[in-house]
């Protein structure tokens, strides 16, 4: 039950303070990864060096987080819950995700497409300099969908299972993948372990999140068929699940053609284009993310209570 209280308090912290930019543990994790990358990602045995890099970063993150939480609970249960909530708070980002989406939406509504391109370029990896309004909306909706799991429900999933230490372990895994898991010449070998580990950690949360999305919005049979039809139409084995669920609920089509560093990437589409993408879909995507977060938290809390009293 302490994990449940810690999760609830963490979400309240996020609602009030959002993602802190200073003294954030993920920044320290990122700095550690960058240091190892500079010194290890060269010469021979890059693949094995990458395995050790992921292991060291993730193990240290888990050990430090676990030690802080364990010591806090020894001092006081209340203090322990507070510290665990603080650690979980740094592993989730629903408010920051919503704000980032609205940062794209506002200039679009004002007709300032250049500013919208700039803002969406801060949250996606594709080239955004020439995107038109519909493509900007698509990029933003895809990011909200994918990060509903990566940035919110996946760390909550691990927090319910193993508390703040496991949530921070997930965040370390995810950060390693975001910094090293690229399929290019520099990281194909060194980032292999980070990418595979992230795939494994996200396997259950991504699918569970997609199902929760559809369940709480009373999805019809067609939406469920679309989810299972298109969930695998994505380079990532996990990201397509939330994107397919979001596309089904909004009645839009995601995926397709993107450009990365001037190189065109053609991907299968996700969803049916029942309606064209519009600014309003960014608001709707954020609303879906928020409702999914609430439902996920309620469901996890009820399961934890049932296990405790069972």
């Amino acid at each position: 039950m302490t994990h449940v209280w810690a999760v609830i308090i963490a979400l309240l912290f996020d609602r009030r303070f959002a993602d802190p930019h200073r003294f954030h543990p993920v920044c320290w994790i990122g700095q550690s990864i960058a240091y190892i990358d500079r010194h290890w990602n060269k010469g021979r045995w890059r693949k094995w060096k990458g395995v050790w890099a992921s292991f060291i970063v993730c193990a240290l993150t888990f050990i430090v987080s676990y030690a802080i939480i364990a010591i806090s609970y020894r001092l006081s249960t209340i203090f322990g819950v507070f510290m665990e909530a603080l650690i979980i708070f740094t592993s989730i980002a629903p408010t920051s995700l919503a704000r980032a989406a609205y940062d794209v939406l506002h200039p679009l509504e004002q007709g300032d497409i250049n500013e919208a391109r700039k803002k969406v370029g801060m949250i996606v990896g594709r080239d955004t300099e020439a995107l038109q309004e519909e493509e900007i909306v698509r990029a933003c909706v895809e990011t909200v969908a994918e990060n509903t799991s990566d940035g919110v429900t996946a760390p909550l999933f691990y927090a319910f299972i193993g508390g703040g230490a496991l949530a921070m372990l997930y965040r370390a895994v995810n950060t390693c993948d975001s910094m090293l898991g690229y399929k290019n010449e520099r990281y194909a070998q060194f980032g292999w372990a980070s990418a595979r580990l992230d795939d494994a950690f996200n396997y259950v949360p991504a699918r569970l999140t997609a199902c929760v999305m559809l369940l709480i919005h009373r999805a019809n049979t067609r939406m469920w068929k679309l989810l299972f039809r298109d969930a695998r139409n994505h380079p990532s084995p996990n990201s397509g699940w939330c994107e397919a669920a979001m596309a089904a609920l909004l009645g839009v089509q995601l995926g397709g053609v993107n450009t990365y560093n001037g190189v065109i990437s053609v991907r299968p589409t996700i969803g049916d284009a029942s309606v064209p993408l519009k600014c309003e879909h960014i608001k709707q995507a954020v609303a879906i993310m928020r409702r999914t977060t609430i439902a996920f938290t309620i469901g996890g809390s009820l399961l934890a209570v049932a296990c405790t009293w069972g």
Side-chain angles (χ1 to χ4, degrees):
M1 284 301 298
T2 56
H3 293 335
V4 173
W5 284 113
V7 166
I8 293 171
I9 294 170
L11 286 167
L12 293 175
F13 282 163
D14 178 81
R15 185 69 176 173
R16 177 62 180 85
F17 303 108
D19 216 2
H21 296 290
R22 298 180 63 189
F23 310 113
H24 199 297
V26 175
C27 293
W28 300 335
I29 294 171
Q31 290 168 4
S32 301
I33 296 168
Y35 178 85
I36 294 174
D37 180 24
R38 287 195 303 270
H39 289 82
W40 287 15
N41 189 11
K42 53 189 175 181
R44 302 175 61 190
W45 314 108
R46 286 194 186 188
K47 191 170 186 178
W48 288 108
K49 289 177 183 177
V51 171
W52 275 106
S54 297
F55 175 77
I56 290 169
V57 170
C58 294
L60 285 176
T61 300
F62 179 80
I63 291 169
V64 171
S65 301
Y66 184 87
I68 291 171
I69 293 169
I71 292 170
S72 299
Y73 273 109
R74 281 181 174 271
L75 296 175
S76 161
T77 300
I78 294 176
F79 184 63
V81 170
F82 173 81
M83 289 302 297
E84 186 168 20
L86 202 59
I87 286 175
I88 295 171
F89 159 58
T90 62
S91 74
I92 59 176
T95 300
S96 294
L97 178 58
R99 288 180 180 177
Y102 272 89
D103 283 345
V104 177
L105 174 64
H106 292 151
L108 277 180
E109 290 179 328
Q110 296 164 6
D112 189 348
I113 194 165
N114 287 326
E115 182 65 15
R117 288 167 177 163
K118 177 182 175 182
K119 292 296 184 182
V120 80
M122 296 173 68
I123 59 174
V124 300
R126 71 196 66 174
D127 299 340
T128 62
E129 296 83 1
L131 294 185
Q132 297 305 309
E133 180 175 321
E134 187 171 337
E135 291 302 302
I136 293 172
V137 172
R138 176 168 71 86
C140 189
V141 169
E142 287 173 352
T143 296
V144 171
E146 181 178 347
N147 283 286
T148 297
S149 178
D150 286 1
V152 187
T153 56
L156 289 179
F157 173 82
Y158 287 106
F160 278 120
I161 293 175
L166 204 57
M168 280 307 297
L169 172 60
Y170 168 80
R171 182 51 58 213
V173 169
N174 191 250
T175 305
C176 282
D177 177 62
S178 67
M179 294 183 67
L180 306 177
Y182 297 103
K183 295 179 180 179
N184 56 30
E185 184 179 351
R186 177 173 175 79
Y187 293 109
Q189 295 296 314
F190 191 72
W192 174 85
S194 296
R196 298 292 79 76
L197 192 60
D198 185 72
D199 289 345
F201 266 74
N202 277 299
Y203 188 89
V204 173
R207 287 154 180 77
L208 186 58
T209 301
C211 290
V212 170
M213 272 189 187
L214 294 190
L215 283 171
I216 64 171
H217 291 92
R218 300 179 182 179
N220 56 36
T221 303
R222 177 178 170 278
M223 292 178 182
W224 283 100
K225 286 182 178 179
L226 190 150
L227 171 66
F228 291 105
R229 185 194 76 187
D230 291 349
R232 294 175 179 83
N233 289 356
H234 195 283
S236 164
N238 301 313
S239 297
W241 285 85
C242 290
E243 288 193 20
M246 186 70 78
L249 291 170
L250 297 179
V252 300
Q253 189 173 81
L254 304 177
V257 180
N258 297 321
T259 304
Y260 298 90
N261 297 318
V263 179
I264 295 176
S265 172
V266 181
R267 299 178 178 180
T269 56
I270 296 175
D272 295 329
S274 301
V275 295
L277 283 156
K278 298 180 180 179
C279 292
E280 188 66 25
H281 289 122
I282 295 178
K283 293 181 182 178
Q284 293 173 8
V286 171
I288 289 170
M289 180 273 291
R290 284 173 168 161
R291 287 192 288 267
T292 302
T293 301
I294 293 170
F296 205 93
T297 303
I298 293 172
S301 300
L302 291 175
L303 283 173
V305 170
C307 292
T308 300
W309 292 101

